[in-house]
Amino acid sequence: EAQVTQNPRYLITVTGKKLTVTCSQNMNHEYMSWYRQDPGLGLRQIYYSMNVEVTDKGDVPEGYKVSRKEKRNFPLILESPSPNQTSLYFCASNDLAGSSYNEQFFGPGTRLTVL
Amino acid sequence: DAKTTQPTSMDCAEGRAANLPCNHSTISGNEYVYWYRQIHSQGPQYIIHGLKNNETNEMASLIITEDRKSSTLILPHATLRDTAVYYCIVRDPTNDYKLSFGAGTTVTVRA
């Protein structure tokens, strides 16, 4: 089954404790992206990657890092989480050239709480 | 991306068609209209997209006006599981892969 998976789905942590949210897709998509969703602000893009070793900032990259060492994986790293990073996070992927290039596939979401 | 305008919310009776409007008066020639939906904090789900012709798939139909300044998503036989926030997004898929989600329309299907 074609899918984007994220782990963990729920995480409660404390300020300053480094964490990583993993994202993996099994569709061989070139493009991957991270969004955060907050009440009243909608979904906002954090980082994106056009292919392996190619990443770039989205609209709200402060406080986040990403890496793209393999095509299928795109982890989101919070080096020193703060309470304002409490949010619902979504990973997404997109085929840039194939028949499904118009459709962006989203993961199930990771609900992060930073105390 | 062109800005889109959608109603904040709408109700629909189960089994009836739901017609969701979207205005995108500043759409450019290369921009497509996309519809996604999000069911209660799940990941957004692609529904349909179109450029200028009407489109239909197993989920919905998309009607785009001739001047392309507005469109309507039609859910032909709404079910309770169609209760969700529906987003209308306009973008050029060849050079902009980011989806700019607005507030969307909250659709509530009632039994």
Side-chain angles (χ1 to χ4, degrees):
Chain A
E1 178 189 357
Q3 60 181 352
V4 178
T5 57
Q6 297 178 225
N7 282 292
R9 295 289 313 281
Y10 302 90
L11 178 60
I12 300 175
T13 189
V14 296
T15 298
K17 185 177 181 181
K18 180 179 179 180
L19 66 92
T20 300
V21 183
T22 64
C23 172
S24 183
Q25 50 93 4
N26 63 0
M27 296 166 280
N28 201 37
H29 286 169
E30 296 88 352
Y31 180 86
M32 297 187 73
S33 176
W34 277 102
Y35 295 84
R36 61 178 288 175
Q37 185 172 29
D38 303 289
L41 296 175
L43 282 110
R44 295 176 292 168
Q45 190 181 56
I46 303 171
Y47 267 95
Y48 66 94
S49 170
M50 300 291 287
N51 214 323
V52 176
E53 302 294 356
V54 181
T55 63
D56 210 344
K57 297 177 180 178
D59 297 323
V60 287
E62 294 77 21
Y64 304 94
K65 287 176 57 178
V66 293
S67 69
R68 188 89 182 274
K69 295 185 172 62
E70 306 164 284
K71 198 172 187 179
R72 64 182 293 127
N73 297 323
F74 190 46
L76 180 69
I77 304 157
L78 285 72
E79 295 269 2
S80 183
S82 62
N84 64 12
Q85 294 177 299
T86 292
S87 187
L88 179 58
Y89 292 86
F90 292 102
C91 181
S93 73
N94 208 142
D95 182 357
L96 295 183
S99 61
S100 62
Y101 86 104
N102 277 298
E103 179 178 355
Q104 197 153 122
F105 294 81
F106 284 80
T110 295
R111 189 169 291 280
L112 171 65
T113 301
V114 183
L115 303 175
Chain B
D1 288 350
K3 184 177 179 180
T4 61
T5 304
Q6 300 178 249
T8 302
S9 63
M10 62 184 296
D11 284 0
C12 177
E14 188 178 22
R16 304 296 295 269
N19 297 309
L20 284 64
C22 179
N23 287 320
H24 32 78
S25 58
T26 59
I27 192 170
S28 68
N30 297 326
E31 290 179 318
Y32 285 64
V33 179
Y34 293 79
W35 283 86
Y36 281 73
R37 73 180 183 183
Q38 185 175 24
I39 298 172
H40 187 56
S41 297
Q42 295 180 21
Q45 177 190 22
Y46 165 86
I47 301 173
I48 199 168
H49 75 279
L51 181 62
K52 52 186 175 182
N53 297 324
N54 298 338
E55 303 287 345
T56 296
N57 63 19
E58 64 278 4
M59 290 182 67
S61 295
L62 174 60
I63 309 297
I64 303 174
T65 57
E66 193 169 343
D67 63 6
R68 303 210 319 125
K69 293 184 177 181
S70 66
S71 60
T72 301
L73 179 74
I74 301 172
L75 307 177
H77 305 286
T79 71
L80 299 179
R81 289 176 296 177
D82 292 322
T83 292
V85 179
Y86 288 77
Y87 299 97
C88 172
I89 298 167
V90 170
R91 70 181 179 106
D92 179 350
T94 62
N95 66 16
D96 187 358
Y97 308 108
K98 179 179 70 175
L99 293 174
S100 297
F101 290 84
T105 297
T106 299
V107 174
T108 302
V109 180
R110 302 191 186 280

